[in-house]
Short mmCIF file of all heavy atoms in Angstrom, two decimals:
data_model
loop_
_atom_site.label_atom_id
_atom_site.label_comp_id
_atom_site.label_asym_id
_atom_site.label_seq_id
_atom_site.Cartn_x
_atom_site.Cartn_y
_atom_site.Cartn_z
N LEU V 13 -2.30 -0.05 -1.21
CA LEU V 13 -1.71 -0.18 -2.54
C LEU V 13 -0.76 0.98 -2.76
O LEU V 13 -1.15 2.14 -2.59
CB LEU V 13 -2.79 -0.19 -3.61
CG LEU V 13 -2.33 -0.26 -5.06
CD1 LEU V 13 -1.68 -1.62 -5.33
CD2 LEU V 13 -3.48 -0.03 -6.00
N VAL V 14 0.48 0.69 -3.09
CA VAL V 14 1.48 1.72 -3.37
C VAL V 14 1.85 1.62 -4.84
O VAL V 14 2.21 0.54 -5.32
CB VAL V 14 2.74 1.51 -2.50
CG1 VAL V 14 3.77 2.59 -2.79
CG2 VAL V 14 2.38 1.50 -1.03
N VAL V 15 1.73 2.74 -5.56
CA VAL V 15 2.03 2.81 -6.99
C VAL V 15 2.95 4.00 -7.21
O VAL V 15 2.84 5.01 -6.51
CB VAL V 15 0.73 3.00 -7.80
CG1 VAL V 15 1.00 3.07 -9.28
CG2 VAL V 15 -0.26 1.90 -7.51
N ALA V 16 3.85 3.89 -8.17
CA ALA V 16 4.71 5.02 -8.51
C ALA V 16 3.85 6.21 -8.93
O ALA V 16 2.79 6.02 -9.54
CB ALA V 16 5.67 4.64 -9.63
N ARG V 17 4.27 7.40 -8.59
CA ARG V 17 3.50 8.61 -8.88
C ARG V 17 3.17 8.70 -10.36
O ARG V 17 4.04 8.57 -11.22
CB ARG V 17 4.30 9.85 -8.45
CG ARG V 17 3.64 11.15 -8.79
CD ARG V 17 3.12 11.80 -7.58
NE ARG V 17 2.23 12.89 -7.89
CZ ARG V 17 2.35 14.10 -7.42
NH1 ARG V 17 3.33 14.38 -6.60
NH2 ARG V 17 1.49 15.02 -7.72
N GLY V 18 1.91 8.90 -10.67
CA GLY V 18 1.46 9.00 -12.05
C GLY V 18 1.12 7.66 -12.66
O GLY V 18 0.57 7.61 -13.75
N GLY V 19 1.43 6.57 -11.97
CA GLY V 19 1.11 5.24 -12.48
C GLY V 19 -0.35 4.92 -12.27
O GLY V 19 -1.04 5.53 -11.45
N SER V 20 -0.83 3.95 -13.03
CA SER V 20 -2.24 3.57 -12.89
C SER V 20 -2.35 2.30 -12.05
O SER V 20 -1.40 1.54 -11.90
CB SER V 20 -2.86 3.34 -14.26
OG SER V 20 -2.18 2.30 -14.92
N ILE V 21 -3.54 2.06 -11.55
CA ILE V 21 -3.80 0.84 -10.78
C ILE V 21 -3.88 -0.32 -11.77
O ILE V 21 -4.60 -0.23 -12.77
CB ILE V 21 -5.12 0.96 -10.00
CG1 ILE V 21 -5.00 2.09 -8.98
CG2 ILE V 21 -5.48 -0.33 -9.32
CD1 ILE V 21 -6.29 2.40 -8.25
N PRO V 22 -3.13 -1.39 -11.55
CA PRO V 22 -3.16 -2.53 -12.47
C PRO V 22 -4.57 -3.11 -12.59
O PRO V 22 -5.31 -3.19 -11.61
CB PRO V 22 -2.21 -3.54 -11.82
CG PRO V 22 -1.35 -2.74 -10.92
CD PRO V 22 -2.18 -1.59 -10.47
N SER V 23 -4.93 -3.53 -13.79
CA SER V 23 -6.28 -4.05 -14.02
C SER V 23 -6.53 -5.36 -13.27
O SER V 23 -7.67 -5.68 -12.96
CB SER V 23 -6.52 -4.26 -15.52
OG SER V 23 -5.57 -5.17 -16.03
N ALA V 24 -5.48 -6.10 -12.94
CA ALA V 24 -5.65 -7.37 -12.22
C ALA V 24 -6.18 -7.16 -10.81
O ALA V 24 -6.82 -8.03 -10.25
CB ALA V 24 -4.32 -8.11 -12.17
N ILE V 25 -5.90 -5.99 -10.21
CA ILE V 25 -6.36 -5.73 -8.85
C ILE V 25 -7.30 -4.53 -8.79
O ILE V 25 -7.46 -3.91 -7.75
CB ILE V 25 -5.17 -5.51 -7.89
CG1 ILE V 25 -4.29 -4.36 -8.36
CG2 ILE V 25 -4.38 -6.78 -7.73
CD1 ILE V 25 -3.25 -3.96 -7.35
N ALA V 26 -7.93 -4.23 -9.92
CA ALA V 26 -8.85 -3.10 -9.97
C ALA V 26 -10.00 -3.34 -9.00
O ALA V 26 -10.39 -4.46 -8.72
CB ALA V 26 -9.38 -2.91 -11.38
N GLY V 27 -10.51 -2.28 -8.45
CA GLY V 27 -11.61 -2.36 -7.51
C GLY V 27 -11.95 -0.97 -7.04
O GLY V 27 -11.72 0.02 -7.73
N SER V 28 -12.46 -0.87 -5.85
CA SER V 28 -12.85 0.43 -5.31
C SER V 28 -11.72 1.01 -4.44
O SER V 28 -11.83 1.05 -3.23
CB SER V 28 -14.14 0.31 -4.51
OG SER V 28 -13.95 -0.60 -3.44
#
Side-chain angles (χ1 to χ4, degrees):
L13 177 67
V14 180
V15 180
R17 176 107 193 232
S20 61
I21 297 174
S23 60
I25 58 170
S28 60

